[in-house]
Structures are given as C-alpha cells and as structure tokens.
Amino acid sequence: MAHHNNGMTRDEKALMQALSRAISVVPRVLDADLQRDQQLPLTDYFALTYLSEAEGQRLRINEVATRLSMTISGATRTVNRLEALELVARERSASDGRGADVVLTEVGLKRLKEAWPSHRDSARRRVLDRLDANELAVLTKALNSIGAEPDDFDSADCPPQS
Amino acid sequence: MAHHNNGMTRDEKALMQALSRAISVVPRVLDADLQRDQQLPLTDYFALTYLSEAEGQRLRINEVATRLSMTISGATRTVNRLEALELVARERSASDGRGADVVLTEVGLKRLKEAWPSHRDSARRRVLDRLDANELAVLTKALNSIGAEPDDFDSADCPPQS
DNA sequence: GTGTTATAGTTGCCCAGTCAAGTAAATTCT
DNA sequence: AGAATTTACTTGACTGGGCAACTATAACAC
C-alpha cells in the first residue's frame, strides 16, 4: 500500500507541487489581468516590451523567439498578431534578406506605455507584494538556475547587444 | 532613452524575468522528458499521481481539475484521454448521479509506477539538483505564496474529503 | 409532487503555440 | 560561377486547454 517515495523527499515533493501550481496559476492570472484591463495578451505585451528595450526598437524574429522562450514559429505568429494591430512592422533586413526585422511602431510604443502601469500593478499584487526582500533575492537566483536551459538546448538570455 | 522604471526596481524586474522564463521552460522540459521516455504527457502523469494518492484511488472530476489547476472542462478532456488508454475508468457515483468518479485502473497504476522513476530523475536533473537546501525551502514557501489564488478565485487545495 | 434554482459534467468553438515540411536568401565548396 | 548546404523564417496540420452554452441530476421552495 502507500507509495514508498523512492528517492524524493517530502520537501522535494512539496517543492515540485508548489512549482507546478505556480506555473499554472501565475501566467494565467497575469494574462487575465492584462486582458481585462488592456485587451492585450501577456505574450504580446512581453514582445512589445522586448522590442522597446532593443536598440533601434527592433529585433529579428529569432531574437523575439528567444526572449519569449518560444519557438520561432510561435514568434512568427505573435508578430503576425502585433502586425495586424499595427503595433509592430516587419522590415526586410538590409543586411540579410532572408528574414525581417520586427520594428516597434509609434502606435506600438504608445500602446505599451498605456499597458505598462496595469501590468506593473498586476505583477505587484500577484507576485511582488507576496515576497519579502530575502525571498525576492533567493527566488530570482533559484529561478534563474532552473530556467537556464539544461543541456539539450542553448541558453541565451541577454546577448550582449551593443 | 532609457526607460524610467516607474516603480519597479531592478531586482523586481529581474525576478519577473526569471519567473516568466522558468514558467515557460520548466513545464516544457519536464513534459518533453516524460514524453520522450514514457510517451506520457506531464498533465496525464500528474492526474494519475493524484488519483493514486486519493483514497480509493478515485476522485471526482472537479477534484482532478482543482489538483491540476485546470478548468473542469480541461479535466474532462484529460480524463477522456486517460480513459481511452484505459488508465482510468469513469464510474457513475452512487451518491451523486450527476457526475462520475474517476478511478485509477490496474493498468493505470502500473503505468504510473513505470513512469515515476523517469519523472523523478527528470525533476532532479531539471530542478532539484540546481538548488541547495536553503533555496529549496525558500522557493517552496515563496511559490506557495504566489501560487495561492488571489482574491477573485477561491483556493481549495485539499478539501476535507470524507 | 411540481417548479425553481444550483451543481457536475460534457461539448462546440476557438486560440495560442508546437512540429515538420516548405521556401528563399546566404554561405561554402570546388 | 554553379552546386550543395545552411540559415531564417513561414505555413499547414495538429494538440491542449479555455470559455460559454447545454444537459442531467440534485436540492430547495411551496
């Protein structure tokens, strides 16, 4: 009877449970908040954010994909959505005609600025306010360790950008 | 230039980034490992686990949904999948004929036992081995705080079950 | 008991994102 | 230079899961 717990301690099990729960809940609530307040999906919001932070407000599709931790094809579709809303534009790269740069438009920047306070408050309510300073530090470090790609994937979180 | 960072500190931003990254990466790699080694989706594996831990190896659909942090309709579909593989069976509840109990079958239990070592190793490699004891403790607590349902959702992790 | 409301699931429709195959430009080989 | 390979996407087919509408049983009002 019972489960013998072969080599996973109580604490480890508790962590895995907490982790899977957080993994389901957090993106859902953050996305729901943003959709409700700004009619903007969280993914699209993040894409706009990364573009706004990039020099020249532009990124290649594959850079968008990397930052969103998404496949390139997923990023293509995300960019399609944003392009349809005219929040970004595709520009054929001068240096490499195979793919396009994704450029943040004026409208896109405006939209991002509108959405930002809402997301910030949401992140506070749902996450940041629930942590003390120590937890924040430890959590960041720990999540970075486990989020780093393992071995069969290449990590590249913040390429050196000029 | 620069973004003025209206009320979100550098550290807070770093946390949110680490969090969104982990949220994308962790379930993907755990699921990929399990699919590769056991041809079993992570969600289905969790469902089997929760059933195996339940008394009588049975749960109502809504309990499955709660444990998986999923909607009832999502749980219905998960159970459909498992039922098609004969890993679980639906049994009309004697006490409440509106819905069925989901019962783990012999085959289902066997399958779970086969899959378990693989998932355990995967969890170790991808998560547990990357944390020290302190991080484990803090992370568990922190994730439980942020995974707890907020205000517009009712939390119910372990309803008192007879 | 009959009518009303609440509860438990199921189903149709949709959307985001993955994978595999396809296209087109760039690079390397010779 | 021309062929072969690699790179950078794009696209078609599919899957998982969400929402809203629906069905069926249960519980409550009378």
Side-chain angles (χ1 to χ4, degrees):
Chain A
M1 300 242 60
H3 17 286
H4 16 268
N5 240 356
N6 284 317
M8 190 136 133
T9 68
R10 220 174 173 346
D11 290 351
E12 288 174 331
K13 225 185 156 214
L15 173 72
M16 293 308 292
Q17 290 240 138
L19 186 58
S20 35
R21 182 165 180 83
I23 278 172
S24 315
V25 168
V26 173
R28 197 158 56 235
V29 298
L30 293 181
D31 187 68
D33 285 348
L34 198 59
Q35 294 259 23
R36 176 169 35 68
D37 298 349
Q38 301 289 331
Q39 295 74 54
L40 191 64
L42 191 60
T43 300
D44 296 18
Y45 173 82
F46 279 140
L48 294 178
T49 302
Y50 290 127
L51 284 168
S52 79
E53 290 170 349
E55 79 159 55
Q57 257 92 42
R58 76 180 50 217
L59 291 170
R60 305 294 298 250
I61 295 271
N62 67 70
E63 294 173 320
V64 176
T66 302
R67 284 167 175 69
L68 294 176
S69 313
M70 198 183 259
T71 60
I72 293 179
S73 91
T76 293
R77 297 183 203 280
T78 299
V79 169
N80 288 346
R81 256 168 3 240
L82 292 170
E83 196 178 29
L85 296 170
E86 319 219 333
L87 304 181
V88 307
R90 275 188 174 83
E91 263 179 37
R92 207 144 210 238
S93 167
S95 54
D96 182 344
R98 276 170 301 186
D101 283 7
V102 184
V103 194
L104 189 61
T105 62
E106 282 301 317
V107 189
L109 184 56
K110 186 156 154 288
R111 190 90 173 72
L112 177 60
K113 283 179 174 163
E114 285 165 15
W116 154 241
S118 168
H119 174 64
R120 181 200 52 206
D121 293 352
S122 169
R124 272 210 183 302
R125 254 180 303 125
R126 308 303 198 173
V127 180
L128 300 169
D129 285 351
R130 300 164 183 230
L131 306 171
D132 63 34
N134 177 54
E135 287 173 334
L136 185 92
V138 175
L139 191 54
T140 303
K141 179 163 171 296
L143 290 176
N144 275 326
S145 316
I146 69 183
E149 281 300 355
D151 42 17
D152 52 80
F153 209 101
D154 57 332
S155 69
D157 213 347
C158 279
Q161 291 171 248
S162 82
Chain B
M1 327 357 26
H3 16 285
H4 15 271
N5 241 354
N6 283 319
M8 190 136 134
T9 68
R10 221 173 173 342
D11 290 349
E12 289 173 331
K13 226 188 154 209
L15 172 70
M16 293 308 292
Q17 290 240 138
L19 186 58
S20 33
R21 185 167 178 82
I23 277 172
S24 315
V25 168
V26 172
R28 200 161 49 238
V29 298
L30 293 181
D31 187 68
D33 286 347
L34 198 59
Q35 294 258 23
R36 176 169 36 67
D37 299 348
Q38 301 289 331
Q39 294 75 54
L40 191 64
L42 191 60
T43 299
D44 296 18
Y45 173 83
F46 279 140
L48 294 178
T49 302
Y50 290 126
L51 283 168
S52 79
E53 290 170 349
E55 80 159 57
Q57 257 92 45
R58 74 181 50 218
L59 291 171
R60 304 295 298 251
I61 295 271
N62 66 70
E63 295 173 320
V64 175
T66 302
R67 284 167 175 69
L68 295 176
S69 313
M70 198 183 258
T71 60
I72 293 180
S73 93
T76 293
R77 297 180 204 280
T78 299
V79 169
N80 288 346
R81 271 186 328 260
L82 293 170
E83 196 179 28
L85 297 169
E86 318 217 335
L87 304 181
V88 306
R90 275 188 174 84
E91 264 180 34
R92 207 144 210 240
S93 167
S95 55
D96 181 344
R98 276 170 299 187
D101 283 6
V102 184
V103 194
L104 188 62
T105 63
E106 281 302 316
V107 189
L109 184 57
K110 186 155 154 287
R111 190 90 173 73
L112 178 61
K113 283 178 175 165
E114 284 165 16
W116 155 243
S118 169
H119 173 65
R120 181 200 53 203
D121 294 352
S122 169
R124 276 212 181 300
R125 253 180 304 125
R126 309 303 198 172
V127 180
L128 299 169
D129 285 351
R130 300 164 183 230
L131 306 172
D132 62 34
N134 177 53
E135 287 173 333
L136 184 91
V138 176
L139 192 54
T140 303
K141 179 163 172 297
L143 289 176
N144 275 325
S145 316
I146 69 183
E149 282 299 354
D151 41 17
D152 53 81
F153 207 101
D154 56 331
S155 69
D157 216 345
C158 281
Q161 295 172 243
S162 81

